Amino acid sequence: MQVTLLIFVLIVGQAATLATANPYGGPSAPPQVGKTPPPQSIVCNDPRSRCNGQNIMCPQQCPSLRPAYPKEKACYVDCSSPTCEATCKNRTVNCYGVGSACGDPRFVGGDGIVFYFHGRTNQFFSLVSDQNLQINARFIGRRPEGRNRDNTWIQSLGLMFGRHTFTLAAMKAAKWDAAVDLLQITYDGEAVPIGDGHLAIWAAADSGLVVERTAHCNSVAVTIPRTVEISVSVVPITEEDDRIHNYQIPDDDCFAHLEVQFLFFDLSERVEGVLGQTYRPEFVSPVKRGVEMPIMGGESKYRTSSLLSADCSYCIFSPELPKGMAGGAMRLEPTGVMECTSSMSNGRGVVCRR
């Protein structure tokens, strides 16, 4: 399937026009480095949103939707927010925010509860399974001498939405070099030819999926409009991590892996998956609260045969069904408990805020 690399050559004044195509704050023109542009704005154009038709200005603290420097906070607009105001947020993964998965994997569920899911080395598990979205992960791992289980990390993600597939993986490396890009990305089985450098963008012409670099290398933001936004970074096991946890990392593999954070829109009330289940309205977390490492089980329920399959026991991905057949749409809104928060009231997304 042919995909098209879209080159965005826009001036700041065009930002609102482009944003109108994505009411959740999609890509906009990069600002000119060294200059202070006026705050950008977003026109919300989703008739279902609370702020439909409103032109929302970015605050002075974060005037740009796509800041020139990776560590600067970006302007973020949620067109379903009660106040119809823009907020500032980091574009990289917040490992303590709702929807995140970092380390051996440490998750923060949609209910705000922290849990660990160890999985198995070189096996695949469904993180999210809904009628129109399937997100799987491949785990890599290592069993240190004297341990009775593997330490595991997320090495790759596989997404299925509609009839499309998307994968993102951390390539193996003996030694970590922050200047070397280890991201490997495919769309419908073809390599994604995203450019080098911060703010480089690639977009699929037939689905609306957008990939944008949020650092010079090893960090991207992935957007499927009205479905999910994903922040992804490749990181190694550092010497300090190895010392603290006694992973016994060998000299020929730095165990490069993914840190990820998801922002979902319109999940159904029946959503499944290791992470997805925590967004259900009636979900009661089975993990033990107050312990150092609360464990979430479910390996047998959520194991899949490959990165791009939906054959786990509890998977419900079925894009052929008419929308709504798999359960009513669930709309999520922030509660303010954490930087990235969620609850099960009205709204249209889990929104990250500062």
Side-chain angles (χ1 to χ4, degrees), residues 121-174:
T121 300
N122 295 324
Q123 292 189 11
F124 309 92
F125 297 91
S126 170
L127 301 187
V128 177
S129 185
D130 209 355
Q131 174 189 329
N132 63 342
L133 177 67
Q134 178 81 21
I135 304 176
N136 296 340
R138 176 181 181 262
F139 286 48
I140 56 173
R142 175 172 175 78
R143 180 169 299 188
E145 185 177 352
R147 303 274 179 88
N148 59 6
R149 71 163 183 87
D150 293 350
N151 294 112
T152 54
W153 301 275
I154 294 175
Q155 180 270 336
S156 56
L157 294 176
L159 280 71
M160 294 182 286
F161 60 103
R163 295 183 178 276
H164 300 287
T165 62
F166 178 83
T167 68
L168 195 152
M171 293 184 289
K172 184 175 180 179

Short mmCIF file of all heavy atoms in Angstrom, two decimals, residues 121-174:
data_model
loop_
_atom_site.label_atom_id
_atom_site.label_comp_id
_atom_site.label_asym_id
_atom_site.label_seq_id
_atom_site.Cartn_x
_atom_site.Cartn_y
_atom_site.Cartn_z
N THR A 121 9.92 -13.40 28.51
CA THR A 121 10.92 -13.02 27.52
C THR A 121 10.57 -13.56 26.14
O THR A 121 10.16 -14.73 26.01
CB THR A 121 12.31 -13.54 27.94
OG1 THR A 121 12.64 -12.97 29.20
CG2 THR A 121 13.37 -13.16 26.93
N ASN A 122 10.70 -12.71 25.12
CA ASN A 122 10.47 -13.08 23.72
C ASN A 122 9.04 -13.55 23.46
O ASN A 122 8.80 -14.37 22.57
CB ASN A 122 11.46 -14.15 23.26
CG ASN A 122 12.89 -13.63 23.26
OD1 ASN A 122 13.13 -12.46 22.94
ND2 ASN A 122 13.83 -14.48 23.62
N GLN A 123 8.10 -13.03 24.23
CA GLN A 123 6.69 -13.32 23.99
C GLN A 123 5.93 -12.01 23.79
O GLN A 123 6.44 -10.92 24.06
CB GLN A 123 6.10 -14.14 25.12
CG GLN A 123 6.67 -15.55 25.18
CD GLN A 123 5.94 -16.45 26.16
OE1 GLN A 123 4.87 -16.11 26.68
NE2 GLN A 123 6.50 -17.63 26.41
N PHE A 124 4.69 -12.14 23.32
CA PHE A 124 3.88 -10.99 22.93
C PHE A 124 2.62 -10.94 23.80
O PHE A 124 2.01 -11.97 24.07
CB PHE A 124 3.48 -11.08 21.46
CG PHE A 124 4.64 -11.33 20.53
CD1 PHE A 124 4.99 -12.63 20.18
CD2 PHE A 124 5.37 -10.28 20.02
CE1 PHE A 124 6.06 -12.87 19.33
CE2 PHE A 124 6.45 -10.51 19.17
CZ PHE A 124 6.79 -11.81 18.82
N PHE A 125 2.25 -9.72 24.19
CA PHE A 125 1.09 -9.54 25.04
C PHE A 125 0.27 -8.34 24.57
O PHE A 125 0.81 -7.35 24.09
CB PHE A 125 1.51 -9.35 26.50
CG PHE A 125 2.22 -10.54 27.07
CD1 PHE A 125 3.59 -10.64 27.01
CD2 PHE A 125 1.50 -11.58 27.66
CE1 PHE A 125 4.26 -11.74 27.51
CE2 PHE A 125 2.15 -12.69 28.16
CZ PHE A 125 3.53 -12.78 28.10
N SER A 126 -1.04 -8.47 24.73
CA SER A 126 -1.95 -7.39 24.35
C SER A 126 -1.98 -6.35 25.47
O SER A 126 -2.41 -6.65 26.59
CB SER A 126 -3.36 -7.94 24.11
OG SER A 126 -4.29 -6.88 23.99
N LEU A 127 -1.55 -5.13 25.16
CA LEU A 127 -1.67 -4.05 26.13
C LEU A 127 -3.06 -3.43 26.08
O LEU A 127 -3.62 -3.07 27.10
CB LEU A 127 -0.61 -2.97 25.86
CG LEU A 127 0.85 -3.40 25.89
CD1 LEU A 127 1.76 -2.19 25.78
CD2 LEU A 127 1.16 -4.21 27.15
N VAL A 128 -3.60 -3.31 24.87
CA VAL A 128 -4.93 -2.74 24.68
C VAL A 128 -5.64 -3.52 23.57
O VAL A 128 -5.06 -3.74 22.50
CB VAL A 128 -4.87 -1.24 24.29
CG1 VAL A 128 -6.27 -0.70 24.03
CG2 VAL A 128 -4.19 -0.43 25.38
N SER A 129 -6.86 -3.91 23.82
CA SER A 129 -7.67 -4.57 22.79
C SER A 129 -9.07 -4.01 22.85
O SER A 129 -9.79 -4.20 23.84
CB SER A 129 -7.69 -6.09 22.99
OG SER A 129 -8.38 -6.72 21.92
N ASP A 130 -9.44 -3.27 21.80
CA ASP A 130 -10.77 -2.70 21.71
C ASP A 130 -11.31 -3.02 20.32
O ASP A 130 -10.59 -3.57 19.47
CB ASP A 130 -10.73 -1.19 21.95
CG ASP A 130 -12.02 -0.66 22.54
OD1 ASP A 130 -12.98 -1.42 22.68
OD2 ASP A 130 -12.06 0.54 22.87
N GLN A 131 -12.55 -2.67 20.07
CA GLN A 131 -13.16 -3.02 18.78
C GLN A 131 -12.32 -2.51 17.61
O GLN A 131 -12.08 -3.24 16.64
CB GLN A 131 -14.57 -2.45 18.68
CG GLN A 131 -15.21 -2.64 17.32
CD GLN A 131 -16.50 -1.88 17.19
OE1 GLN A 131 -17.20 -1.69 18.18
NE2 GLN A 131 -16.83 -1.44 15.99
N ASN A 132 -11.84 -1.28 17.69
CA ASN A 132 -11.16 -0.67 16.55
C ASN A 132 -9.68 -0.42 16.78
O ASN A 132 -9.03 0.26 15.98
CB ASN A 132 -11.83 0.66 16.18
CG ASN A 132 -11.74 1.67 17.31
OD1 ASN A 132 -11.47 1.30 18.46
ND2 ASN A 132 -11.96 2.93 17.01
N LEU A 133 -9.12 -0.96 17.87
CA LEU A 133 -7.71 -0.72 18.18
C LEU A 133 -7.11 -1.89 18.93
O LEU A 133 -7.67 -2.34 19.94
CB LEU A 133 -7.57 0.56 19.02
CG LEU A 133 -6.14 0.91 19.48
CD1 LEU A 133 -5.27 1.29 18.29
CD2 LEU A 133 -6.18 2.06 20.49
N GLN A 134 -5.98 -2.38 18.44
CA GLN A 134 -5.23 -3.43 19.12
C GLN A 134 -3.79 -2.96 19.27
O GLN A 134 -3.16 -2.54 18.30
CB GLN A 134 -5.27 -4.73 18.31
CG GLN A 134 -4.48 -5.88 18.90
CD GLN A 134 -5.23 -6.62 20.02
OE1 GLN A 134 -6.46 -6.54 20.10
NE2 GLN A 134 -4.50 -7.33 20.85
N ILE A 135 -3.27 -2.99 20.50
CA ILE A 135 -1.88 -2.62 20.75
C ILE A 135 -1.21 -3.77 21.48
O ILE A 135 -1.60 -4.12 22.61
CB ILE A 135 -1.76 -1.33 21.59
CG1 ILE A 135 -2.50 -0.18 20.92
CG2 ILE A 135 -0.29 -0.98 21.80
CD1 ILE A 135 -2.49 1.10 21.74
N ASN A 136 -0.22 -4.37 20.84
CA ASN A 136 0.55 -5.45 21.44
C ASN A 136 1.96 -5.00 21.74
O ASN A 136 2.45 -4.01 21.19
CB ASN A 136 0.61 -6.66 20.49
CG ASN A 136 -0.75 -7.27 20.23
OD1 ASN A 136 -1.69 -7.08 21.00
ND2 ASN A 136 -0.86 -8.03 19.16
N ALA A 137 2.63 -5.75 22.60
CA ALA A 137 4.02 -5.47 22.94
C ALA A 137 4.83 -6.75 22.92
O ALA A 137 4.33 -7.81 23.32
CB ALA A 137 4.13 -4.81 24.31
N ARG A 138 6.05 -6.65 22.42
CA ARG A 138 7.01 -7.75 22.54
C ARG A 138 7.94 -7.46 23.70
O ARG A 138 8.45 -6.35 23.83
CB ARG A 138 7.83 -7.91 21.26
CG ARG A 138 8.91 -9.00 21.38
CD ARG A 138 9.75 -9.13 20.11
NE ARG A 138 10.74 -10.18 20.23
CZ ARG A 138 12.02 -9.99 20.54
NH1 ARG A 138 12.47 -8.75 20.75
NH2 ARG A 138 12.86 -11.00 20.65
N PHE A 139 8.13 -8.46 24.54
CA PHE A 139 8.99 -8.29 25.71
C PHE A 139 10.35 -8.94 25.47
O PHE A 139 10.44 -10.03 24.89
CB PHE A 139 8.35 -8.95 26.94
CG PHE A 139 7.19 -8.19 27.51
CD1 PHE A 139 6.16 -7.71 26.72
CD2 PHE A 139 7.12 -7.96 28.87
CE1 PHE A 139 5.10 -7.01 27.25
CE2 PHE A 139 6.06 -7.26 29.42
CZ PHE A 139 5.04 -6.79 28.61
N ILE A 140 11.40 -8.27 25.88
CA ILE A 140 12.72 -8.89 25.97
C ILE A 140 13.06 -8.99 27.44
O ILE A 140 12.45 -8.33 28.29
CB ILE A 140 13.80 -8.08 25.22
CG1 ILE A 140 13.84 -6.62 25.74
CG2 ILE A 140 13.56 -8.12 23.73
CD1 ILE A 140 15.00 -5.81 25.17
N GLY A 141 14.02 -9.84 27.78
CA GLY A 141 14.33 -10.00 29.20
C GLY A 141 15.64 -10.71 29.47
O GLY A 141 16.34 -11.15 28.56
N ARG A 142 15.92 -10.77 30.73
CA ARG A 142 17.14 -11.43 31.20
C ARG A 142 16.88 -11.96 32.60
O ARG A 142 16.27 -11.28 33.43
CB ARG A 142 18.30 -10.44 31.22
CG ARG A 142 19.57 -11.02 31.81
CD ARG A 142 20.75 -10.08 31.64
NE ARG A 142 21.92 -10.60 32.31
CZ ARG A 142 22.68 -11.56 31.84
NH1 ARG A 142 22.37 -12.11 30.67
NH2 ARG A 142 23.73 -12.01 32.50
N ARG A 143 17.33 -13.20 32.84
CA ARG A 143 17.20 -13.78 34.18
C ARG A 143 18.56 -13.79 34.85
O ARG A 143 19.44 -14.60 34.52
CB ARG A 143 16.64 -15.20 34.11
CG ARG A 143 16.49 -15.84 35.50
CD ARG A 143 15.70 -17.13 35.46
NE ARG A 143 14.34 -16.91 34.96
CZ ARG A 143 13.40 -17.84 34.98
NH1 ARG A 143 13.65 -19.05 35.48
NH2 ARG A 143 12.20 -17.58 34.50
N PRO A 144 18.77 -12.89 35.81
CA PRO A 144 20.06 -12.87 36.51
C PRO A 144 20.28 -14.15 37.30
O PRO A 144 19.33 -14.83 37.71
CB PRO A 144 19.92 -11.67 37.45
CG PRO A 144 18.81 -10.84 36.87
CD PRO A 144 17.88 -11.82 36.25
N GLU A 145 21.52 -14.48 37.49
CA GLU A 145 21.87 -15.68 38.24
C GLU A 145 21.28 -15.61 39.64
O GLU A 145 21.36 -14.59 40.33
CB GLU A 145 23.39 -15.81 38.32
CG GLU A 145 23.87 -17.08 38.99
CD GLU A 145 25.38 -17.19 38.99
OE1 GLU A 145 26.04 -16.34 38.35
OE2 GLU A 145 25.89 -18.12 39.64
N GLY A 146 20.63 -16.70 40.03
CA GLY A 146 20.04 -16.78 41.36
C GLY A 146 18.61 -16.28 41.45
O GLY A 146 17.99 -16.37 42.51
N ARG A 147 18.03 -15.78 40.33
CA ARG A 147 16.65 -15.30 40.35
C ARG A 147 15.71 -16.40 39.83
O ARG A 147 16.11 -17.27 39.07
CB ARG A 147 16.50 -14.06 39.45
CG ARG A 147 17.44 -12.91 39.83
CD ARG A 147 16.86 -12.02 40.91
NE ARG A 147 17.79 -10.95 41.26
CZ ARG A 147 17.82 -9.79 40.64
NH1 ARG A 147 16.99 -9.53 39.65
NH2 ARG A 147 18.68 -8.86 41.04
N ASN A 148 14.45 -16.29 40.22
CA ASN A 148 13.47 -17.29 39.77
C ASN A 148 12.54 -16.75 38.68
O ASN A 148 11.58 -17.39 38.30
CB ASN A 148 12.64 -17.80 40.95
CG ASN A 148 11.88 -16.70 41.67
OD1 ASN A 148 11.88 -15.55 41.21
ND2 ASN A 148 11.25 -17.04 42.78
N ARG A 149 12.82 -15.54 38.19
CA ARG A 149 12.04 -15.01 37.08
C ARG A 149 12.90 -14.06 36.26
O ARG A 149 13.94 -13.57 36.70
CB ARG A 149 10.80 -14.26 37.59
CG ARG A 149 11.12 -12.94 38.26
CD ARG A 149 9.89 -12.05 38.36
NE ARG A 149 10.21 -10.75 38.96
CZ ARG A 149 10.64 -9.70 38.27
NH1 ARG A 149 10.81 -9.79 36.96
NH2 ARG A 149 10.91 -8.56 38.88
N ASP A 150 12.43 -13.80 35.03
CA ASP A 150 13.12 -12.86 34.16
C ASP A 150 12.76 -11.42 34.55
O ASP A 150 11.64 -11.14 34.98
CB ASP A 150 12.69 -13.06 32.70
CG ASP A 150 13.15 -14.38 32.13
OD1 ASP A 150 13.95 -15.06 32.80
OD2 ASP A 150 12.69 -14.72 31.03
N ASN A 151 13.73 -10.53 34.39
CA ASN A 151 13.41 -9.11 34.30
C ASN A 151 13.08 -8.84 32.85
O ASN A 151 13.78 -9.27 31.94
CB ASN A 151 14.61 -8.26 34.74
CG ASN A 151 14.93 -8.42 36.21
OD1 ASN A 151 15.97 -8.97 36.57
ND2 ASN A 151 14.06 -7.96 37.07
N THR A 152 11.98 -8.14 32.60
CA THR A 152 11.53 -7.94 31.22
C THR A 152 11.32 -6.46 30.93
O THR A 152 11.06 -5.66 31.83
CB THR A 152 10.21 -8.69 30.95
OG1 THR A 152 9.24 -8.31 31.92
CG2 THR A 152 10.42 -10.19 30.98
N TRP A 153 11.43 -6.14 29.63
CA TRP A 153 11.23 -4.77 29.16
C TRP A 153 10.49 -4.82 27.83
O TRP A 153 10.55 -5.81 27.10
CB TRP A 153 12.57 -4.06 28.97
CG TRP A 153 13.39 -4.00 30.23
CD1 TRP A 153 13.30 -3.07 31.23
CD2 TRP A 153 14.41 -4.93 30.65
NE1 TRP A 153 14.21 -3.34 32.22
CE2 TRP A 153 14.90 -4.47 31.91
CE3 TRP A 153 14.97 -6.09 30.10
CZ2 TRP A 153 15.90 -5.13 32.61
CZ3 TRP A 153 15.95 -6.75 30.81
CH2 TRP A 153 16.41 -6.28 32.04
N ILE A 154 9.79 -3.74 27.50
CA ILE A 154 9.06 -3.67 26.23
C ILE A 154 10.05 -3.30 25.13
O ILE A 154 10.63 -2.21 25.15
CB ILE A 154 7.93 -2.64 26.30
CG1 ILE A 154 6.86 -3.10 27.30
CG2 ILE A 154 7.30 -2.44 24.92
CD1 ILE A 154 5.76 -2.07 27.53
N GLN A 155 10.21 -4.18 24.15
CA GLN A 155 11.14 -3.93 23.05
C GLN A 155 10.44 -3.35 21.83
O GLN A 155 11.05 -2.58 21.07
CB GLN A 155 11.85 -5.24 22.67
CG GLN A 155 12.85 -5.13 21.54
CD GLN A 155 12.23 -5.38 20.15
OE1 GLN A 155 11.19 -6.06 20.06
NE2 GLN A 155 12.84 -4.85 19.11
N SER A 156 9.18 -3.68 21.62
CA SER A 156 8.48 -3.18 20.43
C SER A 156 6.97 -3.13 20.69
O SER A 156 6.45 -3.82 21.55
CB SER A 156 8.77 -4.05 19.20
OG SER A 156 8.45 -5.41 19.45
N LEU A 157 6.32 -2.28 19.91
CA LEU A 157 4.86 -2.15 19.92
C LEU A 157 4.33 -2.49 18.54
O LEU A 157 4.94 -2.15 17.52
CB LEU A 157 4.43 -0.73 20.27
CG LEU A 157 4.73 -0.19 21.66
CD1 LEU A 157 4.30 1.27 21.75
CD2 LEU A 157 4.06 -1.02 22.74
N GLY A 158 3.17 -3.14 18.50
CA GLY A 158 2.47 -3.39 17.25
C GLY A 158 1.04 -2.91 17.36
O GLY A 158 0.33 -3.28 18.31
N LEU A 159 0.62 -2.06 16.43
CA LEU A 159 -0.74 -1.52 16.44
C LEU A 159 -1.50 -2.02 15.23
O LEU A 159 -0.96 -2.10 14.12
CB LEU A 159 -0.73 0.01 16.41
CG LEU A 159 -0.48 0.77 17.72
CD1 LEU A 159 0.97 0.62 18.16
CD2 LEU A 159 -0.85 2.23 17.56
N MET A 160 -2.77 -2.33 15.44
CA MET A 160 -3.70 -2.60 14.36
C MET A 160 -4.90 -1.67 14.55
O MET A 160 -5.46 -1.59 15.64
CB MET A 160 -4.16 -4.06 14.37
CG MET A 160 -3.05 -5.05 14.06
SD MET A 160 -3.64 -6.77 14.03
CE MET A 160 -3.86 -7.08 15.78
N PHE A 161 -5.26 -0.96 13.49
CA PHE A 161 -6.43 -0.09 13.54
C PHE A 161 -7.03 -0.07 12.15
O PHE A 161 -6.34 0.12 11.16
CB PHE A 161 -6.05 1.33 14.01
CG PHE A 161 -5.04 2.03 13.14
CD1 PHE A 161 -5.43 3.03 12.26
CD2 PHE A 161 -3.70 1.70 13.20
CE1 PHE A 161 -4.50 3.67 11.46
CE2 PHE A 161 -2.75 2.35 12.41
CZ PHE A 161 -3.16 3.34 11.53
N GLY A 162 -8.34 -0.32 12.08
CA GLY A 162 -8.94 -0.52 10.77
C GLY A 162 -8.23 -1.66 10.06
O GLY A 162 -8.02 -2.73 10.62
N ARG A 163 -7.83 -1.42 8.82
CA ARG A 163 -7.08 -2.43 8.06
C ARG A 163 -5.59 -2.11 8.02
O ARG A 163 -4.86 -2.68 7.22
CB ARG A 163 -7.64 -2.51 6.63
CG ARG A 163 -9.08 -3.01 6.56
CD ARG A 163 -9.56 -3.14 5.13
NE ARG A 163 -10.91 -3.67 5.06
CZ ARG A 163 -11.22 -4.97 5.09
NH1 ARG A 163 -10.25 -5.87 5.19
NH2 ARG A 163 -12.47 -5.37 5.02
N HIS A 164 -5.15 -1.24 8.89
CA HIS A 164 -3.76 -0.81 8.88
C HIS A 164 -2.97 -1.41 10.04
O HIS A 164 -3.54 -1.77 11.08
CB HIS A 164 -3.67 0.72 8.95
CG HIS A 164 -4.34 1.42 7.82
ND1 HIS A 164 -3.81 1.44 6.55
CD2 HIS A 164 -5.51 2.12 7.76
CE1 HIS A 164 -4.61 2.12 5.75
NE2 HIS A 164 -5.65 2.54 6.46
N THR A 165 -1.67 -1.51 9.85
CA THR A 165 -0.77 -1.96 10.91
C THR A 165 0.37 -0.96 11.05
O THR A 165 0.76 -0.29 10.09
CB THR A 165 -0.18 -3.35 10.61
OG1 THR A 165 0.61 -3.29 9.40
CG2 THR A 165 -1.27 -4.39 10.46
N PHE A 166 0.90 -0.88 12.27
CA PHE A 166 2.00 0.03 12.56
C PHE A 166 2.86 -0.62 13.63
O PHE A 166 2.35 -1.16 14.61
CB PHE A 166 1.45 1.36 13.07
CG PHE A 166 2.50 2.37 13.46
CD1 PHE A 166 3.11 3.16 12.50
CD2 PHE A 166 2.88 2.51 14.79
CE1 PHE A 166 4.09 4.09 12.86
CE2 PHE A 166 3.84 3.43 15.16
CZ PHE A 166 4.46 4.22 14.20
N THR A 167 4.18 -0.60 13.44
CA THR A 167 5.08 -1.14 14.44
C THR A 167 6.17 -0.15 14.76
O THR A 167 6.57 0.66 13.92
CB THR A 167 5.74 -2.47 14.00
OG1 THR A 167 6.65 -2.21 12.91
CG2 THR A 167 4.70 -3.49 13.56
N LEU A 168 6.66 -0.23 15.99
CA LEU A 168 7.74 0.63 16.44
C LEU A 168 8.60 -0.19 17.38
O LEU A 168 8.10 -0.78 18.34
CB LEU A 168 7.17 1.86 17.15
CG LEU A 168 8.09 3.03 17.40
CD1 LEU A 168 7.31 4.33 17.44
CD2 LEU A 168 8.86 2.86 18.69
N ALA A 169 9.92 -0.27 17.11
CA ALA A 169 10.79 -1.16 17.87
C ALA A 169 12.11 -0.48 18.21
O ALA A 169 12.57 0.43 17.50
CB ALA A 169 11.06 -2.44 17.07
N ALA A 170 12.70 -0.93 19.31
CA ALA A 170 14.05 -0.52 19.69
C ALA A 170 15.02 -1.57 19.17
O ALA A 170 14.92 -2.75 19.51
CB ALA A 170 14.16 -0.40 21.21
N MET A 171 15.94 -1.15 18.33
CA MET A 171 16.91 -2.08 17.78
C MET A 171 17.98 -2.44 18.83
O MET A 171 18.31 -1.63 19.69
CB MET A 171 17.57 -1.49 16.53
CG MET A 171 16.60 -1.32 15.37
SD MET A 171 17.42 -0.74 13.85
CE MET A 171 17.79 0.96 14.31
N LYS A 172 18.52 -3.64 18.70
CA LYS A 172 19.54 -4.11 19.64
C LYS A 172 20.85 -3.36 19.42
O LYS A 172 21.24 -3.07 18.30
CB LYS A 172 19.74 -5.61 19.46
CG LYS A 172 20.72 -6.23 20.46
CD LYS A 172 20.79 -7.74 20.28
CE LYS A 172 21.76 -8.35 21.28
NZ LYS A 172 21.81 -9.83 21.15
N ALA A 173 21.52 -3.06 20.52
CA ALA A 173 22.82 -2.38 20.44
C ALA A 173 23.70 -2.87 21.58
O ALA A 173 23.23 -3.07 22.71
CB ALA A 173 22.66 -0.87 20.52
N ALA A 174 24.97 -3.08 21.28
CA ALA A 174 25.90 -3.53 22.32
C ALA A 174 26.15 -2.42 23.33
O ALA A 174 26.12 -2.64 24.54
CB ALA A 174 27.21 -3.99 21.69
#
